[in-house]
């Protein structure tokens, strides 16, 4: 993994450049900023370029996801979110809603208009009787795991450091705990939702079944969520961490992973392996996880026995484990993700992924590709069977088939390469999916994870048959299409 220093926001701003017409529109948007500042309570703040809060509010993990907004708005309560939505609707001013800012799709949580950053929603409230925790949308998962540690409980969230609550809880949420408890969306008990008309409501499966279904997978289509209440589970220390291999051990690692997935069905055990091609050098960074202080039956012995370049494995807190993968090191690059569903990682499939990594790693290093990464995430087929009620993603509960997946991540520096990176990522993903289909795996119609679907993905490829009902639910709660002023997957 290349340790590239994060590009500063000033550098990114310079790279984007501003035209005269952008400046004009920005002046209009500034009027909305001023109206919001005048209408909300004194606890909520509007910031302009030059202030550190403005910079933080506009910043993203991927530099290609940031834009220069007219101002940023940090609401302190749900009522003020509602007031802002009403003013944005009146002025038809574009806006963005940002939680952790890890979306890699431009415009999904950035805007030239009003950038809403949810940092003030930062509480974690544990309810031991209900066995739930209510968490603010301005947090990252690290904060939540850290806060819940004192109670010996956990909730199902991101498996990597730095990721926001919002995109995960509104879009899916693959965790080390998903084989046991499902996705994050499966663990939601209620949301506080500010509807597009500004009304604040508590959304549960009984109060608003349609919205409860849609919001879990449908992101910002139905309004702005301020807090979420999720199921908690008892959590002991876990075993695992990061083990790193060099390219000469690639085949041995692939064999060990194929052996692992074909023999281990214990839902407490996970392997998550990322392979990074950077400047001609390949690093295999593999996370081993077991949801107990020790692992049984030698299940990880083969992976541990392969000669490795570094090892950071121990019995540790859940938080410590999710921080072992250096995901922050690649922040500040331009970025795209793609996602390929897989039934089973066979040896031949892992060799195919190795070839993709080498072919495209070399090809994209000719342009400004810095980090060409193919990640393997094996999961159990029962993955999607842990929910009491269906959600917008994954919507195909009835088929009862959970998928493992290959995640494609490209990081690069030059905006002129955006198009080629997206094009090559799509080409590689299509090749890998076809390989799986040709190998007899039933993935031809499997839906793509909305959090890893690149810009321009057809809605039907993400939400399948659910698109029309999601459209109806969206129209009912937002007849004026206020949320159409922000970016994302739009129903
Ligand atoms: C380094 C890295 C690690 C990752 N690890 C994981 C992982 O372990 N598991 C996994 O499932 N995915 C993972 N992802 C993908 C991740 O799910 C998405 O990037 C996700 O969208 C990030 O959420 P966020 O809140 O940080 O992003 P943001 O960019 O802030 O938000 C994403 C989208 O959700 C909307 N949104 C956010 N909050 C709200 C809200 N409160 N109300 C309404 N709309 C809202 C935004 O408008 C935006 O469209 C990872 C991504 C990266 C870059
Ligand atoms: C990653 O960055 C976030 C800030 O975005 C920080 O809170 C977190 O602690 C960092 N993780 C590690 C492991 O340093
Ligand atoms: C390697 O991948 C490339 C690009 O998808 C493909 O054209 C080629 O046939 C693959 N080679 C092997 C040996 O599979
Ligand atoms: C998941 O549940 C569905 C519907 O109840 C069932 O048909 C399917 O067999 C289950 N799948 C697994 C892998 O348990
Ligand atoms: C706002 O929209 C919701 C959902 O459609 C509706 O129940 C509520 O009455 C509306 N509030 C106002 C003030 O119109």
């Amino acid at each position: 993994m290349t340790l590239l220093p994060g590009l500063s926001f000033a550098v990114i701003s310079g790279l984007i450049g501003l035209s005269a017409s952008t400046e004009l529109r920005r002046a209009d948007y500034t009027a909305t900023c001023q109206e919001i500042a005048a209408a909300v309570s004194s606890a909520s703040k509007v910031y302009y370029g030059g202030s550190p809060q403005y910079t933080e509010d506009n910043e993203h993990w991927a530099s290609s996801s940031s834009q220069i907004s007219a101002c940023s708005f940090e609401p302190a309560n749900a009522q003020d979110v509602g007031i802002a939505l009403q003013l944005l609707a009146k002025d038809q001013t574009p806006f963005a809603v940002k939680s952790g800012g890890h979306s890699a799709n431009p415009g999904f949580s950035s805007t030239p208009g009003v950038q809403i950053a949810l940092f003030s929603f930062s509480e974690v409230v544990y309810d031991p009787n209900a066995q739930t925790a209510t968490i603010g949308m301005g947090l990252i998962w690290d904060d939540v795991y850290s806060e819940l540690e004192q109670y010996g409980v956990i909730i199902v969230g991101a498996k990597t450091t730095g990721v926001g609550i919002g995109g995960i809880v509104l879009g899916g949420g693959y965790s080390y705990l998903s084989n046991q408890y499902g996705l994050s969306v499966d663990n939601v008990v209620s949301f506080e939702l500010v509807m597009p008309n500004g009304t604040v409501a508590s959304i549960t499966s009984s109060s608003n079944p349609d919205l409860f279904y849609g919001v879990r997978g449908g992101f910002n289509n139905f309004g702005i969520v301020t807090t979420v209440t999720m199921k908690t589970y008892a959590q002991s220390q876990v075993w695992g961490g990061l083990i790193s291999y060099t390219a000469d051990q690639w085949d041995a690692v692939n064999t060990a992973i194929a052996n692992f997935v074909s023999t281990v069905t214990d839902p407490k055990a996970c392997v998550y392996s990322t392979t990074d091609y950077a400047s001609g050098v390949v690093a295999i960074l593999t996370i081993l996880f077991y949801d107990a202080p020790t692992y049984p039956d030698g299940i990880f012995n083969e992976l541990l026995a392969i000669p490795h370049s570094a090892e950071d494995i121990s019995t540790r807190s859940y938080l410590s484990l999710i921080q072992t993968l250096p995901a922050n090191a690649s922040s500040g690059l331009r970025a795209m993700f793609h996602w390929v569903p897989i039934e089973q990682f066979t040896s031949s499939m892992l060799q195919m992924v190795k070839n993709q990594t080498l072919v495209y790693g070399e090809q994209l290093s000719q342009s400004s590709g810095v980090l060409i990464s193919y990640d393997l995430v094996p999961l159990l087929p029962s993955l999607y069977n842990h929910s009491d009620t269906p959600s917008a993603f994954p919507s195909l509960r009835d088929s009862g088939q959970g998928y493992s997946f290959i995640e494609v991540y490209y990081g690069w520096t030059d905006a002129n390469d955006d198009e080629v990176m997206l094009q090559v990522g799509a080409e590689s993903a299509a090749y890998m999916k076809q390989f799986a289909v040709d190998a007899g795996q039933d993935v031809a119609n499997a839906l793509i994870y909305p959090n890893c679907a690149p810009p321009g993905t057809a809605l039907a490829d993400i939400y399948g048959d659910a698109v029309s009902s999601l459209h109806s639910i969206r129209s009912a709660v937002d007849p004026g299409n206020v949320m159409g002023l922000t970016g994302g997957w739009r129903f």
Side-chain angles (χ1 to χ4, degrees):
M1 168 160 296
T2 300
L3 302 185
L4 198 102
L7 299 177
S8 71
F9 188 68
V11 172
I12 297 155
S13 315
L15 289 176
I16 293 171
L18 288 175
S19 67
S21 66
T22 314
E23 289 290 0
L24 268 181
R25 266 185 287 125
R26 216 141 61 91
D28 293 347
Y29 303 153
T30 303
T32 310
C33 299
Q34 287 160 354
E35 289 174 57
I36 292 173
V40 295
S41 71
S42 60
S44 297
K45 305 285 184 201
V46 171
Y47 296 106
Y48 296 93
S51 77
Q53 290 91 348
Y54 170 92
T55 302
E56 193 188 0
D57 294 347
N58 282 283
E59 214 154 33
H60 288 76
W61 180 81
S63 63
S64 45
S65 300
S66 291
Q67 296 183 61
I68 313 224
S69 65
C71 64
S72 69
F73 175 48
E74 291 189 15
N77 55 62
Q79 285 66 35
D80 286 347
V81 173
I83 291 169
L85 277 175
Q86 287 169 336
L87 291 168
L88 290 161
K90 173 180 77 66
D91 295 349
Q92 289 291 295
T93 296
F95 66 96
V97 184
K98 191 184 91 162
S99 172
H102 269 49
S103 174
N105 288 357
F108 275 45
S109 52
S110 70
T111 178
V114 175
Q115 176 75 18
I116 302 177
L118 300 171
F119 293 125
S120 297
F121 297 95
S122 58
E123 278 197 330
V124 176
V125 180
Y126 174 53
D127 180 341
N129 295 321
Q131 292 180 38
T132 60
T134 299
I135 60 179
M137 286 287 169
L139 294 166
I140 60 172
W141 290 97
D142 306 42
D143 303 328
V144 175
Y145 301 151
S146 161
E147 193 63 29
L148 292 177
E149 214 170 285
Q150 61 190 299
Y151 308 112
V153 298
I154 198 78
I155 55 182
V156 177
K159 61 187 182 328
T160 324
T161 187
V163 185
I165 306 301
I168 293 281
V169 137
L170 306 179
Y174 287 97
S175 153
Y176 292 114
L177 304 172
S178 291
N179 281 334
Q180 294 178 78
Y181 311 131
L183 307 188
S184 294
V185 291
D186 297 330
N187 286 277
V188 174
V189 175
S190 67
F191 294 104
E192 182 179 74
L193 175 70
V194 184
M195 297 183 181
N197 64 8
T199 298
V200 181
S202 171
I203 306 295
T204 67
S205 61
S206 48
S207 79
N208 302 68
D210 284 357
L211 284 173
F212 190 70
Y213 163 80
V215 173
R216 291 176 306 136
F219 298 92
N220 57 22
N221 275 280
F222 311 98
I224 297 179
V225 177
T226 55
T227 64
V228 58
T229 301
M230 297 180 72
K231 291 179 191 166
T232 59
Y233 300 97
Q235 184 62 57
S236 66
Q237 288 219 307
V238 300
W239 176 91
L242 178 65
I243 183 164
S244 313
Y245 310 92
T246 47
D248 54 325
Q249 300 302 328
W250 206 335
D251 292 342
V253 172
N254 278 348
T255 301
I257 290 175
N259 287 340
F260 178 89
V261 298
S262 64
T263 53
V264 178
T265 53
D266 183 342
K268 294 183 174 186
C270 294
V271 165
Y272 162 40
S273 192
T274 78
T275 305
D276 299 321
Y277 182 107
S279 319
V281 177
V282 171
I284 303 166
L285 307 186
T286 304
I287 302 274
L288 310 181
F289 173 90
Y290 196 82
D291 192 10
T294 55
Y295 68 92
D297 309 333
I299 51 176
F300 294 112
N301 286 359
E302 188 177 356
L303 279 158
L304 289 168
I306 297 169
H308 39 277
S309 51
E311 182 184 318
D312 169 17
I313 288 182
S314 61
T315 296
R316 64 206 317 168
S317 70
Y318 191 86
L319 171 65
S320 157
L321 185 131
I322 72 130
Q323 293 188 330
T324 54
L325 192 72
N328 284 352
S330 40
S331 69
L333 294 172
R334 306 185 76 77
M336 79 112 227
F337 286 88
H338 218 310
W339 199 84
V340 182
I342 291 297
E343 271 191 329
Q344 181 81 314
F345 286 109
T346 59
S347 285
S348 61
M349 185 167 300
L350 294 172
Q351 288 306 107
M352 178 277 289
V353 178
K354 175 182 175 182
N355 175 56
Q356 293 287 296
T357 312
L358 288 172
V359 167
Y360 290 117
E362 184 166 338
Q363 180 182 322
L364 297 174
S365 297
Q366 312 297 317
S367 47
S368 71
V370 171
L371 202 47
I372 303 306
S373 183
Y374 285 75
D375 301 350
L376 312 171
V377 184
L379 291 155
L380 295 177
S382 54
L383 175 72
Y384 296 157
N385 275 17
H386 298 278
S387 181
D388 305 332
T389 51
S391 59
F393 182 86
S395 64
L396 290 185
R397 299 280 180 194
D398 295 345
S399 73
Q401 169 69 55
Y403 299 101
S404 298
F405 57 89
I406 304 165
E407 193 172 287
V408 181
Y409 156 61
Y410 296 163
W412 67 99
T413 52
D414 186 348
N416 293 318
D417 291 335
D418 289 2
E419 209 171 304
V420 71
M421 292 290 171
L422 287 165
Q423 204 182 318
V424 170
E427 178 184 307
S428 180
Y431 179 92
M432 294 192 288
K433 186 167 178 182
Q434 191 58 48
F435 185 96
V437 170
D438 291 346
Q441 300 204 6
D442 183 15
V443 295
N445 298 312
L447 300 176
I448 302 178
Y449 183 36
N451 268 316
C452 294
T457 304
L459 277 188
D461 291 342
I462 302 175
Y463 298 101
D465 295 342
V467 173
S468 64
S469 67
L470 288 166
H471 180 79
S472 307
I473 298 167
R474 207 276 304 148
S475 307
V477 74
D478 191 12
N481 199 16
V482 177
M483 298 311 291
L485 294 165
T486 192
W489 306 119
R490 300 255 66 85
F491 303 141

